[in-house]
Amino acid sequence: MSFLQSWPEPIVRVQSLSESGIRKIPDRFVKPPSDRPFNITDMKTTSINVPLIDLENLNSPNEFVRKETIDGISNACREWGFFQVANHGVSHELMEKTRAVWHEFFQLSLEEKQKFANSPVTYEGYGSRIGTEVGAKLDWCDYFYLHYLPEALRDENKWPRLPISCRKLVLEYGQELVKLSKRLTTILSIGLGLNEDYIHQSFGGNNETSACLRANFYPKCPQPDLTHGLSPHSDPGGITLLLPDTDIPGLQIRRGNNWLTVNPIPNAFIVNIGDQVQVLSNAIYKSVEHRVIVNSKKERLSLAFFYNPGGDKLIKPAHQLVTKDCPALYSPMTFNEYRSFIRTKGLTGKCQIESLKSPR
């Protein structure tokens, strides 16, 4: 992949804008009228509880309970593309400490955070935009992005050195979420009628599978009706495990012509299917368009853990799911090739995966 070595325009830190006391957001953040989050003439907005799965049921001695749980996840992937998992095995204390340490990071001085300023080459570090198109509309969000897997790409020196506990917590948190992600891909494979390690091996197995963490910080916004925290998109990777801010919901998913605000469950992860799993499943599982809204009363923070194929892995529909009546819907493409689109164009709905469809 070939990326710009630096951002095409000066970077504006959203948190600094918010804390300056402005009453109007700069034009660069104002979305076109048709794309604004509260355009009630276009879409109805309401809240919803996406399917909640108790993973403890997978340990039940009752075979029916275990099968019912696997079927519940599989059906959620087919119908919603999103679900929440409780009793997932990740320590609630670790979840809270990790969330807290990232909140502390974003409260550090701008000078300290700027030491980790990112570039569009790998996006690693402290950032405030996605995409490199000149004049693009921006989202009301700052973030920190880091590589966790494969270990060859992991560089803890690029992780925040303050707060002191940050690197240790991120390492421990990543270990636990990798375990959970492997468990979930096993369930997803079984739900498709494939070998239980099919998705894991397609991603690159233990040596090549990639994983990244993105800490999202959404400052208070004086005009939340004009912008997004994150613009509508589907995740380009495999699966995403989101640790949301449970105080104020902000994640919305698109279902038909409606935007539904997801009600987060305390101590649960929100899981969503990414484009690579939609491709592998030949569109049996759905990566669903989603976005983030902001508010004027309180800042928000969420942690998104992306479990993805290795960059050089060629992803295509599983041959077991391709038949005469259901031909392959997508042309093969490496994950590096695929995600170069979002890193250049930014967040643009589901246009990338739609463009990948094979001619019929």
Side-chain angles (χ1 to χ4, degrees):
M1 295 180 291
S2 177
F3 295 120
L4 291 177
Q5 296 297 306
S6 59
W7 300 110
E9 300 162 310
I11 291 295
V12 178
R13 300 304 181 190
V14 178
Q15 186 177 3
S16 296
L17 279 176
S18 175
E19 293 175 351
S20 72
I22 60 170
R23 296 185 178 182
K24 295 180 62 177
I25 63 175
D27 288 343
R28 292 295 307 279
F29 295 91
V30 177
K31 307 296 183 180
S34 61
D35 294 340
R36 293 174 187 172
F38 302 109
N39 178 19
I40 59 174
T41 61
D42 179 37
M43 285 190 172
K44 179 183 177 183
T45 302
T46 187
S47 62
I48 194 71
N49 294 316
V50 298
L52 175 63
I53 307 296
D54 185 349
L55 290 187
E56 182 61 32
N57 288 335
L58 292 173
N59 300 321
S60 171
N62 188 319
E63 182 180 354
F64 174 78
V65 172
R66 296 196 303 272
K67 184 179 184 304
E68 188 177 50
T69 305
I70 292 173
D71 289 345
I73 291 176
S74 182
N75 289 336
C77 294
R78 295 164 191 255
E79 299 297 324
W80 287 88
F82 275 79
F83 57 95
Q84 297 195 64
V85 291
N87 294 320
H88 38 65
V90 181
S91 159
H92 295 171
E93 181 182 10
L94 176 61
M95 294 164 66
E96 188 53 42
K97 284 184 175 180
T98 307
R99 179 165 34 207
V101 82
W102 280 111
H103 192 272
E104 288 181 52
F105 169 78
F106 284 104
Q107 303 310 312
L108 295 173
S109 68
L110 180 59
E111 179 183 13
E112 179 62 31
K113 290 179 289 192
Q114 282 292 112
K115 294 175 183 178
F116 298 91
N118 71 349
S119 79
V121 178
T122 66
Y123 276 79
E124 290 177 275
Y126 175 54
S128 298
R129 68 177 291 169
I130 301 173
T132 56
E133 291 198 326
V134 175
K137 292 294 185 181
L138 303 178
D139 288 333
W140 196 262
C141 176
D142 294 329
Y143 63 85
F144 197 102
Y145 179 82
L146 60 87
H147 287 303
Y148 191 82
L149 289 179
E151 289 189 19
L153 290 181
R154 184 193 303 169
D155 185 352
E156 294 181 33
N157 291 320
K158 295 181 179 179
W159 301 0
R161 62 183 180 184
L162 295 175
I164 295 296
S165 60
C166 186
R167 292 178 180 177
K168 180 178 180 293
L169 283 170
V170 168
L171 190 63
E172 185 179 351
Y173 183 78
Q175 289 172 341
E176 294 303 310
L177 265 68
V178 166
K179 293 177 187 176
L180 178 56
S181 298
K182 287 182 179 178
R183 192 180 184 193
L184 290 172
T185 57
T186 296
I187 298 168
L188 298 185
S189 297
I190 294 171
L192 291 168
L194 302 170
N195 291 334
E196 65 176 31
D197 67 343
Y198 185 89
I199 293 177
H200 177 61
Q201 293 302 326
S202 296
F203 280 12
N206 292 332
N207 295 324
E208 297 179 79
T209 297
S210 63
C212 309
L213 176 69
R214 181 180 145 125
N216 302 301
F217 186 76
Y218 305 104
K220 290 182 286 188
C221 179
Q223 294 178 297
D225 54 323
L226 299 183
T227 192
H228 292 119
L230 282 179
S231 294
H233 66 286
S234 59
D235 289 350
I239 62 172
T240 303
L241 280 63
L242 181 74
L243 181 59
D245 189 320
T246 54
D247 291 338
I248 300 180
L251 173 66
Q252 294 186 326
I253 62 175
R254 186 169 189 164
R255 192 164 173 83
N257 287 327
N258 295 327
W259 284 105
L260 308 178
T261 301
V262 177
N263 294 320
I265 305 297
N267 299 318
F269 286 104
I270 300 173
V271 182
N272 66 278
I273 298 300
D275 292 346
Q276 303 307 300
V277 169
Q278 178 168 322
V279 170
L280 281 171
S281 71
N282 208 28
I284 294 174
Y285 291 162
K286 307 294 192 296
S287 67
V288 170
E289 194 173 356
H290 52 286
R291 68 185 187 184
V292 176
I293 56 174
V294 291
N295 67 86
S296 60
K297 302 298 182 182
K298 189 174 181 180
E299 62 196 25
R300 295 179 59 254
L301 181 136
S302 67
L303 304 180
F305 189 82
F306 304 105
Y307 193 73
N308 300 328
D312 295 329
K313 300 302 292 184
L314 193 68
I315 302 299
K316 60 183 179 180
H319 68 86
Q320 299 94 324
L321 304 178
V322 175
T323 65
K324 181 179 179 180
D325 294 331
C326 189
L329 296 177
Y330 305 100
S331 302
M333 181 179 287
T334 68
F335 182 47
N336 274 343
E337 291 173 324
Y338 189 88
R339 66 179 168 184
S340 67
F341 178 90
I342 193 171
R343 289 187 170 187
T344 302
K345 300 292 184 181
L347 304 176
T348 54
K350 282 183 67 74
C351 65
Q352 168 66 345
I353 193 167
E354 292 300 319
S355 71
L356 196 62
K357 285 186 175 179
S358 304
R360 303 294 292 272

